[in-house]
Amino acid sequence: MTIEHLSSNKSFGGWHKRYSHPSEVLNCNMQFAIYLPPQASEGQAVPVVYWLSGLTCTDENFMQKAGAHRIAAELGIAIVAPDTSPRGDQVANDDGYDLGQGAGFYVNATEAPWNRHYRMYDYVLTELPALIENLFPVSNKRSLAGHSMGGHGALVLALRNPDRYQSVSAFSPISRPTDCPWGEKAFSAYLGDDRSHWEAYDASLLMSGATAFVPALVDQGSADDFLAEQLKPEALVSAAKESGYPLHLNMRDGYDHSYYFIASFIEDHLRFHAAHLV
Ligand SMILES: N[C@@H](CCC(=O)N[C@@H](CS)C(=O)NCC(=O)O)C(=O)O
């Protein structure tokens, strides 16, 4: 396994680092970022929050815009931000911002041409944590957080693998991807026309049938342009009622879909994770 160090920046006493590595699961080179809090340099094995970004993002958006380092440094939590899809000239793509590179939707594609590389579900679930836990001074305590497409990914990964994660949180998640334009476009391409194959990647459907519970926190802005057509958080609320799921969902008056919203509440999310990562 060759991993290439790309850059390091000291930040709030810890380190923001970027790396490139060959991914077997995705069959291409991938970049990721990690924030290591000061405690990691002091010999402590720190827990990890995996941050899954939304459409069009790379590993950089969250690290540059969310303002998360200060609170991660205080709490002694590492944050790992993967890219949002496989990348490269040899990787299938689409002209739309909501399909192909930058839009992996955290699924394992079954349909050509996508199935050669688009396996972000397996990458985030197994390959990336194995690499992180092998190379960095971290424990095997993990939580998931994400935004929009990444909020969908975080919820789905946690709901399907409750034994692997201590907690999950999401900003503005695509809550009902089997019933919104973004999800229907991506799932048709990656998973094919048989909608029964989509259900394993729909957080609301998974939550309504859940029997094992990973504590979940969701924040949603009321002035989000994507709220009614794409995000549908009310589907999560009714799913949680059905199964008795420990979901805490806050509607935040006047906030939109941007990183200004994430920066405003990331502290709450990291404190929520810290309480479950002890
Ligand atoms: N209309 C937007 C949709 C994409 C979008 O809003 N992406 C969100 C996630 S769903 C984001 O985080 N963008 C990058 C950023 O704000 O840094 C575009 O075409 O770029």
Side-chain angles (χ1 to χ4, degrees):
M1 154 74 67
T2 48
I3 178 160
E4 185 189 351
H5 171 249
L6 301 176
S7 62
S8 290
N9 314 95
K10 193 162 187 181
S11 180
F12 291 94
W15 289 91
H16 168 249
K17 300 183 179 213
R18 300 184 68 221
Y19 292 89
S20 169
H21 74 103
S23 163
E24 270 180 40
V25 167
L26 299 172
N27 195 20
C28 65
N29 277 325
M30 290 296 284
Q31 294 187 1
F32 69 85
I34 183 167
Y35 178 71
L36 288 163
Q39 294 83 347
S41 309
E42 292 157 12
Q44 276 185 47
V46 297
V48 184
V49 171
Y50 289 84
W51 173 268
L52 307 183
S53 286
L55 292 166
T56 75
C57 291
T58 67
D59 66 281
E60 296 190 284
N61 303 67
F62 176 82
M63 291 296 183
Q64 293 177 357
K65 293 182 169 180
H69 294 178
R70 179 182 60 79
I71 189 71
E74 180 199 316
L75 297 170
I77 292 175
I79 304 176
V80 171
D83 203 344
T84 51
S85 75
R87 298 277 182 182
D89 292 343
Q90 79 287 11
V91 174
N93 204 358
D94 185 88
D95 287 342
Y97 74 92
D98 51 2
L99 187 67
Q101 296 189 33
F105 271 84
Y106 306 99
V107 302
N108 292 333
T110 52
E111 304 302 297
W114 311 104
N115 53 0
R116 290 190 58 203
H117 298 280
Y118 284 74
R119 300 184 62 83
M120 287 299 289
Y121 180 87
D122 280 354
Y123 177 69
V124 174
L125 180 68
T126 54
E127 188 179 30
L128 184 62
L131 183 152
I132 296 292
E133 288 163 27
N134 191 30
L135 287 175
F136 299 101
V138 299
S139 72
N140 61 0
K141 289 253 168 48
R142 313 171 198 99
S143 292
L144 286 158
H147 173 224
S148 194
M149 174 183 76
H152 137 75
L155 289 166
V156 165
L157 279 154
L159 285 157
R160 285 176 58 176
N161 304 279
D163 51 326
R164 277 182 72 78
Y165 299 106
Q166 310 296 314
S167 50
V168 60
S169 78
F171 291 87
S172 338
I174 302 172
S175 301
R176 191 78 165 90
T178 59
D179 184 27
C180 77
W182 277 340
E184 290 178 298
K185 179 176 175 179
F187 287 7
S188 304
Y190 298 145
L191 305 172
D193 290 334
D194 182 347
R195 286 176 172 247
S196 68
H197 296 160
W198 301 6
E199 291 169 9
Y201 295 108
D202 184 303
S204 297
L205 293 176
L206 293 167
M207 190 173 276
S208 66
T211 50
F213 300 141
V214 178
L217 171 67
V218 174
D219 275 86
Q220 172 64 57
S222 71
D224 186 327
D225 286 339
F226 300 115
L227 176 54
E229 195 189 6
Q230 304 280 15
L231 305 177
K232 306 191 175 183
E234 64 282 357
L236 274 183
V237 173
S238 53
K241 272 203 192 109
E242 230 175 282
S243 62
Y245 203 94
L247 168 71
H248 188 87
L249 190 144
N250 301 306
M251 283 303 292
R252 302 292 191 182
D253 189 41
Y255 286 90
D256 63 19
H257 197 65
S258 71
Y259 266 91
Y260 294 107
F261 174 46
I262 296 169
S264 301
F265 295 100
I266 192 67
E267 177 165 352
D268 291 0
H269 283 233
L270 290 180
R271 289 195 187 283
F272 165 77
H273 291 300
H276 294 285
L277 282 166
V278 286

